[in-house]
Amino acid sequence: RLVSVLYRIGSNLQDKRARLFNISLSNELSKKIIELSKKIEKIIMPSDPSLALIILCHGYTVCLPEDSELVSLLDLIIECAETKKVEAQKFGTIFRLIDKICCQKGGKAREVHMHVVVEELEKKLSKDGGTKERLERLSDVYKWLGESYFEEGGKENQEKACEMYEKSLEMAKELVKGGNTPENLEKLSRAYSDLGNSYQTEGGEENQKKACKMYEKSLEIAKELVKANNTPENLEKLSHAYTNLGNSYQGRREKENQTKACEIYRCALKVAKEQKEPKSLEELSYIYERLGDNYCKESREIACEMYEKSLMLIKEWVKKDRTALSASSLEVISYKLLEIYLEEAKENQKKACKM
């Protein structure tokens, strides 16, 4: 609770700092927040290193560290990574916070410090040679760095995201060479998919083609995983892989690509229908929506049918899971249907006028 309160105070302080009359009071509050963050970090570190680092990073986003403090913080992160004290999924949050701190510091801080983390990790983890644990850790680190750049947006950041995802893919490939296990294959499939997303976001005909290739490779592996073990989780991943590839073809405007996208969405639909999980409603609804988008220019009637099916599933999903995401999806699909109905009404009005 204290951490939550501190973070809210800090965020509010950042928003209002420029308008505060008493700048010294603003600085004093910032110092208090970082002092408390450091105290909490020391108390929590033995039992939950991941949370301790997140708290400390949050504190530094309010009160920017000196260069020496930032180096100490990076050293602490590297040490926790090396000794595997930090939970894998929490590293993404930690890197994003470090990225925010470095961005606020300005200049080359971000680029330099983010690469320092990777280089140091590579040095320390390379003591084990090409072991499975080292490759896993490096693949994850590059993935998290890629996510950090990807979420930042902008051409330069997208290029850096691609670079990080490519390195993550290299590590994942090495992992599979060492053992063709389901876990390694899943990591490789995800690495291909991440790189595909990055290429697709960069845009341009050449990048769209590269994205397609990445999604195709991700799909091949997803099929292998389902063939080996037909679990709901693997079916969900296969459905996602089909949908990603369909989206990639749909983004390329030529007629043959639109037809190909439609075929792939149909495959995704077939797989999604096999899932018995309630969350498959969201996936099914999304696929019907994409099919509707695909048919919009070709056949308004079929597009309408697809959107209506999507809307029916979304309504069912909203009953089970009333979240902002489900409500937003409901609004989007309703609007797409409304556009079709209005177009039809306009056409019928013109016909009526002629008569």
Side-chain angles (χ1 to χ4, degrees):
R1 284 178 186 173
L2 179 57
V3 170
S4 177
V5 169
L6 276 175
Y7 184 54
R8 281 202 300 274
I9 291 169
S11 300
N12 196 40
L13 182 64
Q14 278 185 312
D15 293 339
K16 293 182 178 177
R17 181 174 293 182
R19 299 192 297 276
L20 279 174
F21 178 75
N22 192 336
I23 298 298
S24 62
L25 173 63
S26 167
N27 292 337
E28 198 59 39
L29 281 168
S30 297
K31 284 174 189 171
K32 287 287 179 194
I33 288 165
I34 194 62
E35 277 172 27
L36 280 166
S37 297
K38 285 178 179 177
K39 281 178 186 174
I40 296 165
E41 176 258 323
K42 281 177 183 165
I43 295 164
I44 296 174
M45 182 58 85
S47 58
D48 193 343
S50 303
L51 181 59
L53 283 172
I54 288 169
I55 290 163
L56 193 55
C57 288
H58 270 311
Y60 277 129
T61 60
V62 177
C63 182
L64 290 178
E66 297 295 329
D67 285 349
S68 57
E69 288 177 309
L70 184 56
V71 169
S72 299
L73 177 60
L74 292 172
D75 284 340
L76 185 59
I77 291 167
I78 291 161
E79 185 193 331
C80 288
E82 188 189 14
T83 53
K84 301 188 197 78
K85 286 179 182 173
V86 177
E87 296 164 52
Q89 62 270 34
K90 297 287 174 65
F91 251 113
T93 306
I94 291 165
F95 274 123
R96 277 189 282 279
L97 287 167
I98 286 286
D99 197 35
K100 187 177 177 181
I101 293 163
C102 291
C103 278
Q104 284 175 291
K105 279 181 75 66
K108 287 279 183 183
R110 174 187 187 184
E111 191 175 340
V112 170
H113 292 304
M114 292 298 270
H115 283 287
V116 163
V117 174
V118 177
E119 283 166 19
E120 285 301 312
L121 275 173
E122 281 182 332
K123 279 180 203 167
K124 293 196 176 192
L125 295 172
S126 64
K127 288 188 291 188
D128 304 324
T131 62
K132 179 177 181 287
E133 286 180 353
R134 172 185 172 262
L135 291 169
E136 275 180 352
R137 183 63 76 174
L138 280 175
S139 178
D140 286 342
V141 167
Y142 283 126
K143 173 184 164 61
W144 296 320
L145 281 169
E147 284 174 0
S148 180
Y149 284 121
F150 185 83
E151 288 176 15
E152 194 71 25
K155 191 175 187 306
E156 194 180 330
N157 287 321
Q158 290 306 324
E159 285 170 3
K160 284 174 182 171
C162 266
E163 188 188 324
M164 294 298 111
Y165 285 135
E166 280 165 1
K167 287 184 178 180
S168 176
L169 180 59
E170 282 172 32
M171 299 298 120
K173 283 178 181 175
E174 289 299 317
L175 266 174
V176 170
K177 281 180 190 174
N180 212 15
T181 64
E183 293 79 17
N184 290 349
L185 285 170
E186 191 183 323
K187 194 177 276 287
L188 182 59
S189 176
R190 197 168 59 243
Y192 275 123
S193 181
D194 286 338
L195 187 53
N197 292 340
S198 193
Y199 282 136
Q200 184 130 313
T201 305
E202 271 202 82
E205 185 61 29
E206 201 55 44
N207 283 324
Q208 290 290 341
K209 286 177 184 175
K210 285 181 185 176
C212 258
K213 283 180 185 173
M214 295 301 108
Y215 290 139
E216 278 164 0
K217 287 183 184 292
S218 178
L219 178 60
E220 282 170 28
I221 299 165
K223 284 178 182 174
E224 273 184 59
L225 288 166
V226 168
K227 199 174 177 182
N229 194 1
N230 194 16
T231 62
E233 291 78 15
N234 284 345
L235 282 168
E236 187 186 357
K237 283 163 193 164
L238 179 58
S239 175
H240 281 319
Y242 272 122
T243 308
N244 281 338
L245 185 57
N247 290 344
S248 184
Y249 275 108
Q250 196 179 58
R252 296 157 73 187
R253 298 296 171 191
E254 297 84 359
K255 172 76 175 169
E256 62 269 24
N257 288 325
Q258 298 299 307
T259 306
K260 183 79 175 168
C262 196
E263 288 169 16
I264 294 164
Y265 286 139
R266 295 279 180 191
C267 292
L269 199 58
K270 188 180 174 185
V271 175
K273 282 179 178 176
E274 288 180 48
Q275 297 175 52
K276 307 299 177 192
E277 301 291 314
K279 61 183 176 183
S280 66
L281 289 171
E282 179 191 353
E283 183 71 8
L284 274 168
S285 172
Y286 178 70
I287 297 164
Y288 276 122
E289 184 192 347
R290 299 306 285 163
L291 277 165
D293 294 343
N294 198 265
Y295 279 115
C296 246
K297 289 179 184 175
E298 225 173 276
S299 167
R300 202 180 285 159
E301 190 182 338
I302 298 174
C304 212
E305 184 191 336
M306 296 298 110
Y307 286 143
E308 280 167 357
K309 283 181 178 178
S310 177
L311 189 63
M312 182 186 70
L313 288 160
I314 280 287
K315 284 177 178 176
E316 212 177 315
W317 178 32
V318 169
K319 284 178 192 172
K320 294 173 191 272
D321 179 24
R322 191 173 284 278
T323 60
L325 178 62
S326 59
S328 170
S329 300
L330 183 62
E331 188 181 336
V332 167
I333 296 160
S334 299
Y335 183 76
K336 286 180 179 180
L337 262 173
L338 178 63
E339 279 189 316
I340 290 177
Y341 293 149
L342 286 171
E343 281 298 316
E344 285 178 349
K346 280 179 189 174
E347 284 180 14
N348 287 331
Q349 195 175 23
K350 284 177 185 175
K351 286 175 186 174
C353 283
K354 282 180 184 177
M355 293 302 106

